[in-house]
Structure formats: structure tokens, C-alpha cells
Amino acid sequence: AQKITQTQPGMFVQEKEAVTLDCTYDTSDPSYGLFWYKQPSSGEMIFLIYQGSYDQQNATEGRYSLNFQKARKSANLVISASQLGDSAMYFCAMREGAAGGYQKVTFGTGTKLQVIP
Amino acid sequence: DAGITQSPRHKVTETGTPVTLRCHQTENHRYMYWYRQDPGHGLRLIHYSYGVKDTDKGEVSDGYSVSRSKTEDFLLTLESATSSQTSVYFCAISDLQGRVREQFFGPGTRLTVL
């Protein structure tokens, strides 16, 4: 079974609108972390946001928020007020086990977001 | 930004030739990783290192070897490159200090095997 599933290969959003990128995960480890990375066309991997499995509140970083629904094993990324610079590939990833030390991280296949002016 | 560099950034080589990719960090992080990125697969772990001379295999290690003789350098070697190893290779680092949350990535190396 896939550990990280991103079901949306590509998405379009109008500039200034909000968009949700889906991510579901599968693990039996009670301690894990969930990440979102952005990869623009230039190719670098940019860390956006992190959610720990024991965190009580949804993570937020500026215009990015992570809609964490533990029982449903979903960790959707919400981008508010989309900007043209948000056009990129977005990867969801999961670390199994506690933070620190060696991090076994599994990545999803990515969602390509295109922001339309 | 974390100080991670990769060299070369681009390389074209022929099938059967050896290739070595270098990852250099200035953060003194303990853990280093090599991933490959291919369309439809996301990033997949090739090898990782948990200290000088300490390395282990990842998900897709066949055809690759690694070495780490210094904290700052992690080398990935393709002993005899094949066309299936055409990919973008990323190095990443992480450490124990503080609330370690994410891996920091290098800029990537685009390798083409003809």
C-alpha cells in the first residue's frame, strides 16, 4: 500500500482564490510527522509546513495551513489567496517515528498547481 | 538557507561509465541522504548516512554506493551507469538539535545517461 497518496496530479486555481491540495497517509506508527514541500520550476525543494502526529492544532505558516484530520489520515495543504508564484509542484511527505535522528521520510508523487491570472 | 551544495549540477555520461556525485554541507548535520526524483515517483531514498563511515541502504539502492569520510561530504557513486539511472538526484541533511522537523535539500543534480 502507498504510504503517501496525492490523488491530484494537476490543479488550476484562480489568482487570489484559496486552494486545497489533498494528501492521505498510511502508517501504524503512533509517532510521525507530515510535511509539505514546494518545488518550483527551478527545481529546488522548499519546505513549507510541518505537522506532528501529537500536535493538537493544525499547523499554519503564513498563507499555508495544514488541515490535519488524524482519524481520516489526511493532511491537506491549504493555500489562501493564491499568487502567481505559487505555481509549482507540491509534495506531501511523512516521517515515521519520532523527530530527530535518522528520518525515514516517504514522499508522495506530487501535485502540479498552476495559478491562473 | 541551509548550506548544502551539490556537484556537478548537470552531467551527461554514457552507459557503463562510473559517475560520482558530491554533496557538501556546512551545517555540521549528522544525517545525510541521497534521493532520486523521477516523474510519477516523487522522491525515493537511495542511501543515507548517520555519521562518518556509517551508511545504510534506502528503498532504491541497487546500482549505487556511497561513502562518507568527513562529516561535510557524502558521495554517491554509480559504478557503471545505466539509462535507468537518468534522474535528478537530491542530497538532504537533518540533525538531532532542537525540534528537528524537516530535511534540508540541496539544489539537485540532473544526470543523463545515454
Side-chain angles (χ1 to χ4, degrees), chain A residues 35 37 39 42-45 47 50 52 55 61 91 95 99-109, chain B residues 9 31 33 35 37 40-43 45 48 50 90 94-96 99-107:
Chain A
F35 307 83
Y37 285 86
Q39 187 178 42
S42 52
E44 70 268 32
M45 294 289 288
F47 166 75
Y50 168 84
D55 292 344
E61 295 281 353
F91 291 97
R95 180 211 71 239
Y102 163 61
Q103 297 190 353
K104 179 182 177 182
V105 177
T106 305
F107 286 80
T109 53
Chain B
R9 294 292 314 280
Y31 300 89
Y33 313 79
Y35 291 91
Q37 182 181 19
H41 291 279
L43 275 75
L45 182 66
Y48 67 97
Y50 48 96
F90 284 96
S94 67
D95 204 53
L96 291 167
R99 182 172 182 247
V100 176
R101 301 176 304 163
E102 72 270 27
Q103 295 179 357
F104 300 97
F105 283 83

Side-chain angles (χ1 to χ4, degrees), chain B:
Chain B
D1 290 342
I4 311 171
T5 57
Q6 293 184 230
S7 58
R9 294 292 314 280
H10 302 271
K11 186 171 182 66
V12 179
T13 191
E14 295 187 348
T15 299
T17 59
V19 176
T20 295
L21 308 183
R22 180 184 184 232
C23 177
H24 179 78
Q25 59 141 332
T26 58
E27 305 296 319
N28 201 35
H29 280 14
R30 178 177 178 181
Y31 300 89
M32 299 185 75
Y33 313 79
W34 277 108
Y35 291 91
R36 61 177 290 174
Q37 182 181 19
D38 305 289
H41 291 279
L43 275 75
R44 293 179 292 174
L45 182 66
I46 305 171
H47 280 280
Y48 67 97
S49 170
Y50 48 96
V52 173
K53 299 190 187 304
D54 294 323
T55 65
D56 206 346
K57 297 178 179 180
E59 178 187 356
V60 290
S61 60
D62 288 348
Y64 302 94
S65 63
V66 290
S67 65
R68 192 171 178 196
S69 59
K70 297 184 291 186
T71 299
E72 57 266 34
D73 289 327
F74 192 31
L75 304 181
L76 177 70
T77 297
L78 291 65
E79 300 290 348
S80 178
T82 67
S83 59
S84 64
Q85 293 175 312
T86 292
S87 187
V88 179
Y89 292 85
F90 284 96
C91 175
I93 64 175
S94 67
D95 204 53
L96 291 167
Q97 298 172 5
R99 182 172 182 247
V100 176
R101 301 176 304 163
E102 72 270 27
Q103 295 179 357
F104 300 97
F105 283 83
T109 294
R110 184 173 295 275
L111 176 67
T112 302
V113 184
L114 302 176

Side-chain angles (χ1 to χ4, degrees), chain A:
Chain A
Q2 293 289 334
K3 287 186 176 284
I4 293 287
T5 302
Q6 295 182 253
T7 58
Q8 307 153 312
M11 290 190 69
F12 292 91
V13 65
Q14 203 75 37
E15 191 178 9
K16 301 181 184 178
E17 297 291 313
V19 63
T20 298
L21 306 184
D22 294 341
C23 174
T24 57
Y25 60 93
D26 183 27
T27 182
S28 57
D29 198 319
S31 180
Y32 55 90
L34 297 156
F35 307 83
W36 279 92
Y37 285 86
K38 172 184 178 182
Q39 187 178 42
S41 58
S42 52
E44 70 268 32
M45 294 289 288
I46 303 168
F47 166 75
L48 294 178
I49 197 167
Y50 168 84
Q51 180 85 40
S53 60
Y54 296 115
D55 292 344
Q56 295 297 312
Q57 295 188 336
N58 287 345
T60 60
E61 295 281 353
R63 294 186 299 111
Y64 305 107
S65 60
L66 199 153
N67 184 1
F68 181 47
Q69 297 187 46
K70 197 169 184 177
R72 297 180 59 186
K73 294 188 173 180
S74 75
N76 298 339
L77 177 70
V78 180
I79 305 175
S80 62
S82 296
Q83 302 173 355
L84 296 177
D86 294 333
S87 294
M89 183 74 84
Y90 289 81
F91 291 97
C92 180
M94 175 176 65
R95 180 211 71 239
E96 293 178 276
Y102 163 61
Q103 297 190 353
K104 179 182 177 182
V105 177
T106 305
F107 286 80
T109 53
T111 295
K112 186 172 183 179
L113 178 67
Q114 296 185 62
V115 181
I116 304 166

